Amino acid sequence: IEFKKNVSDIVAEIEQATIDTFGTIDAENFNWPTNRIECLEQLTFFCENLLVHFGDYEDAMHTHEKFLFHSRLSFAMNTKMLAPQEVVDKVIVYYFDNKDTISISQVEGFVRQILGWREYIRGIYWKEMPLYSKLNILENYNKLPHFYWSGKTNMNCMQKAISQSLNEAYAHHIQRLMIIGNFSLLTQLHPDEVDAWYLGVYIDAIEWVEMPNTRGMSQYADGGIVATKPYVSSGSYINKMSNYCSSCHYNVKEKLAHNACPFNSLYWNFLDDKKHIFATNQRMGMMLNLLNKISPDELAKIKAKASHIIENPDLY
Ligand SMILES: Cc1cc2nc3c(=O)[nH]c(=O)nc-3n(C[C@H](O)[C@H](O)[C@H](O)COP(=O)(O)OP(=O)(O)OC[C@H]3O[C@@H](n4cnc5c(N)ncnc54)[C@H](O)[C@@H]3O)c2cc1C
Ligand code: SF4
């Protein structure tokens, strides 16, 4: 569904007030619902057109698809134009009326996101704040690269996910977690900087839901309150879940070559740097065993490559 609203007057007002902004806006085609009727239209559109494939493709990423089968309902719920209960109820009723065309796994996936993740995240925020906002268990202190504000990078996955975020104020969950969040954690950015970026960029970003997702699930700065292990991966996961790598400047199969995918050396470097913290985490056992199998020589080269990326992220 596209709303194509003209918000030029508001944009002109903001410009006149010389307020600093980032990203871009198509002021004549603003694509978000801004009242309850439009939010209900969006919910109906989701049920009728997207629910049928939601579960199958919720973790997929594609260069030409910004929204795929995602509902884009977080903004409506977070601003209280829709109640989460009514979204879940409507989807379940729609499923029972259309069982011949929609499978239970699509509906289960969607309901779990709201009833499971959204409520869980809300509970964590109110239970753990205000201390939560200061946690930095992995002791990461690096600064945000400049390209987070422009999308100008040779890494196709980062270029697509960041540009889309700056243009649409939206990226779906796996783009936020396994592309931008993954790179941020692998390059050991300060969670305060990552938090501030996510809070500023996304249309649905309100602190209670943004912070446990960013600082907790994505950056593991809470030491495992939200997630039982850090969400990090090399390029191979990104290659499996998307078509980004096939048109990237970098080669996803390479670790050390000059055109090697940056995620590959960064991944092993991260595991090596933080292995003392994860030594007792059973879910990290397999990854740390694989790390142990890399020869000291090879590991030294990987770490040198990763250090160069970490020190010069804007060159990549
Ligand atoms: C680093 C990071 C930061 C995030 N920041 C925010 C944020 O500021 N605000 C926000 O609403 N969501 C946030 N999320 C969760 C999730 O990415 C978005 O809710 C989702 O992408 C919104 O798009 P959608 O409505 O199309 O979701 P769909 O894929 O259609 O999912 C349906 C609904 O499930 C809920 N949901 C799914 N996952 C989560 C989750 N992890 N936490 C809370 N609700 C969830 C949302 O309300 C969403 O609308 C973040 C996730 C990560 C990894
Ligand atoms: S090759 Fe690496 S940098 Fe390029 S799109 Fe794939 S994962 Fe991203």
Side-chain angles (χ1 to χ4, degrees), residues 207-227:
E207 192 182 83
W208 72 260
V209 56
E210 175 276 326
M211 189 184 287
N213 268 303
T214 305
R215 193 172 280 265
M217 188 195 298
S218 162
Q219 299 303 294
Y220 203 80
D222 64 359
I225 295 174
V226 167

Side-chain angles (χ1 to χ4, degrees), residues 154-158 179 234-236 238-239 242 244-246 248-253 260-264:
N154 289 324
M155 292 176 276
N156 200 28
C157 53
M158 289 293 278
I179 305 292
S234 64
S236 70
I238 296 170
N239 193 27
S242 76
Y244 291 144
C245 303
S246 57
C248 183
H249 172 83
Y250 295 108
N251 185 339
V252 70
K253 303 247 186 291
C261 167
F263 282 82
N264 293 342

